[in-house]
Short mmCIF file of all heavy atoms in Angstrom, two decimals:
data_model
loop_
_atom_site.label_atom_id
_atom_site.label_comp_id
_atom_site.label_asym_id
_atom_site.label_seq_id
_atom_site.Cartn_x
_atom_site.Cartn_y
_atom_site.Cartn_z
N THR A 235 186.24 99.79 105.63
CA THR A 235 185.98 98.50 105.01
C THR A 235 185.08 98.75 103.77
O THR A 235 184.14 99.53 103.86
CB THR A 235 185.29 97.58 105.97
OG1 THR A 235 186.14 97.32 107.09
CG2 THR A 235 185.00 96.19 105.30
N THR A 236 185.34 98.00 102.69
CA THR A 236 184.58 98.15 101.51
C THR A 236 183.75 96.90 101.20
O THR A 236 184.35 95.78 101.21
CB THR A 236 185.46 98.48 100.29
OG1 THR A 236 186.07 99.74 100.53
CG2 THR A 236 184.65 98.60 98.97
N ASP A 237 182.51 96.99 100.88
CA ASP A 237 181.62 95.91 100.44
C ASP A 237 181.59 96.05 98.90
O ASP A 237 180.74 96.85 98.42
CB ASP A 237 180.29 95.98 101.08
CG ASP A 237 179.38 94.75 100.71
OD1 ASP A 237 179.73 94.08 99.75
OD2 ASP A 237 178.45 94.54 101.46
N LYS A 238 182.36 95.33 98.17
CA LYS A 238 182.47 95.44 96.72
C LYS A 238 181.19 95.03 96.02
O LYS A 238 180.78 95.54 94.98
CB LYS A 238 183.62 94.68 96.19
CG LYS A 238 184.96 95.20 96.66
CD LYS A 238 186.15 94.39 96.06
CE LYS A 238 187.45 95.01 96.51
NZ LYS A 238 188.60 94.21 95.98
N THR A 239 180.46 94.06 96.62
CA THR A 239 179.23 93.58 96.03
C THR A 239 178.11 94.74 96.07
O THR A 239 177.31 94.74 95.17
CB THR A 239 178.68 92.31 96.66
OG1 THR A 239 178.41 92.57 98.04
CG2 THR A 239 179.76 91.24 96.54
N LYS A 240 178.18 95.52 97.07
CA LYS A 240 177.18 96.56 97.21
C LYS A 240 177.75 97.95 96.86
O LYS A 240 177.06 98.92 96.89
CB LYS A 240 176.65 96.63 98.66
CG LYS A 240 175.89 95.34 99.06
CD LYS A 240 175.42 95.44 100.48
CE LYS A 240 174.65 94.18 100.88
NZ LYS A 240 174.18 94.27 102.35
N ASN A 241 179.07 97.99 96.58
CA ASN A 241 179.75 99.18 96.15
C ASN A 241 179.60 100.24 97.30
O ASN A 241 179.26 101.42 97.01
CB ASN A 241 179.23 99.73 94.86
CG ASN A 241 180.20 100.81 94.27
OD1 ASN A 241 181.42 100.77 94.58
ND2 ASN A 241 179.67 101.75 93.53
N ILE A 242 179.78 99.78 98.56
CA ILE A 242 179.67 100.65 99.69
C ILE A 242 181.04 100.69 100.43
O ILE A 242 181.55 99.58 100.74
CB ILE A 242 178.57 100.21 100.67
CG1 ILE A 242 177.22 100.27 99.97
CG2 ILE A 242 178.55 101.11 101.88
CD1 ILE A 242 176.09 99.73 100.82
N SER A 243 181.57 101.81 100.75
CA SER A 243 182.76 101.92 101.57
C SER A 243 182.42 102.52 102.92
O SER A 243 181.77 103.58 103.02
CB SER A 243 183.79 102.85 100.90
OG SER A 243 184.26 102.20 99.72
N TYR A 244 182.71 101.76 103.94
CA TYR A 244 182.43 102.20 105.36
C TYR A 244 183.69 102.82 105.92
O TYR A 244 184.79 102.45 105.59
CB TYR A 244 181.99 101.05 106.21
CG TYR A 244 180.77 100.29 105.66
CD1 TYR A 244 180.93 99.16 104.88
CD2 TYR A 244 179.52 100.75 106.00
CE1 TYR A 244 179.79 98.48 104.39
CE2 TYR A 244 178.39 100.08 105.50
CZ TYR A 244 178.55 98.96 104.70
OH TYR A 244 177.45 98.29 104.20
N THR A 245 183.47 103.78 106.81
CA THR A 245 184.65 104.46 107.44
C THR A 245 184.44 104.42 108.96
O THR A 245 183.46 103.90 109.47
CB THR A 245 184.74 105.89 106.98
OG1 THR A 245 183.70 106.69 107.46
CG2 THR A 245 184.78 106.01 105.43
N VAL A 246 185.33 105.07 109.65
CA VAL A 246 185.26 105.18 111.13
C VAL A 246 183.92 105.86 111.53
O VAL A 246 183.55 105.71 112.71
CB VAL A 246 186.49 105.95 111.67
CG1 VAL A 246 186.48 107.35 111.25
CG2 VAL A 246 186.56 105.81 113.18
N ASP A 247 183.25 106.56 110.67
CA ASP A 247 182.05 107.23 111.04
C ASP A 247 180.91 106.24 111.48
O ASP A 247 179.99 106.62 112.14
CB ASP A 247 181.54 107.99 109.84
CG ASP A 247 182.43 109.20 109.47
OD1 ASP A 247 183.18 109.65 110.39
OD2 ASP A 247 182.38 109.65 108.35
N ILE A 248 181.07 104.97 111.12
CA ILE A 248 180.03 104.01 111.53
C ILE A 248 180.20 103.58 112.97
O ILE A 248 179.31 102.91 113.58
CB ILE A 248 180.05 102.75 110.64
CG1 ILE A 248 181.29 101.89 110.89
CG2 ILE A 248 179.93 103.10 109.19
CD1 ILE A 248 181.23 100.52 110.25
N CYS A 249 181.27 103.95 113.60
CA CYS A 249 181.61 103.42 115.00
C CYS A 249 180.77 104.19 115.98
O CYS A 249 180.64 105.39 115.97
CB CYS A 249 183.08 103.59 115.26
SG CYS A 249 184.16 102.62 114.23
N MET A 250 180.23 103.39 116.93
CA MET A 250 179.42 104.00 118.04
C MET A 250 180.35 104.65 119.03
O MET A 250 181.53 104.34 119.13
CB MET A 250 178.61 102.85 118.71
CG MET A 250 177.64 102.18 117.80
SD MET A 250 176.26 103.31 117.42
CE MET A 250 175.32 102.24 116.33
N PRO A 251 179.80 105.54 119.87
CA PRO A 251 180.60 106.14 120.95
C PRO A 251 181.16 105.00 121.84
O PRO A 251 180.42 104.11 122.20
CB PRO A 251 179.59 107.01 121.69
CG PRO A 251 178.56 107.38 120.66
CD PRO A 251 178.45 106.17 119.80
#
Side-chain angles (χ1 to χ4, degrees):
T235 299
T236 299
D237 186 341
K238 294 182 180 179
T239 62
K240 296 180 180 179
N241 195 29
I242 299 175
S243 292
Y244 302 95
T245 69
V246 67
D247 293 338
I248 71 171
C249 297
M250 298 291 178

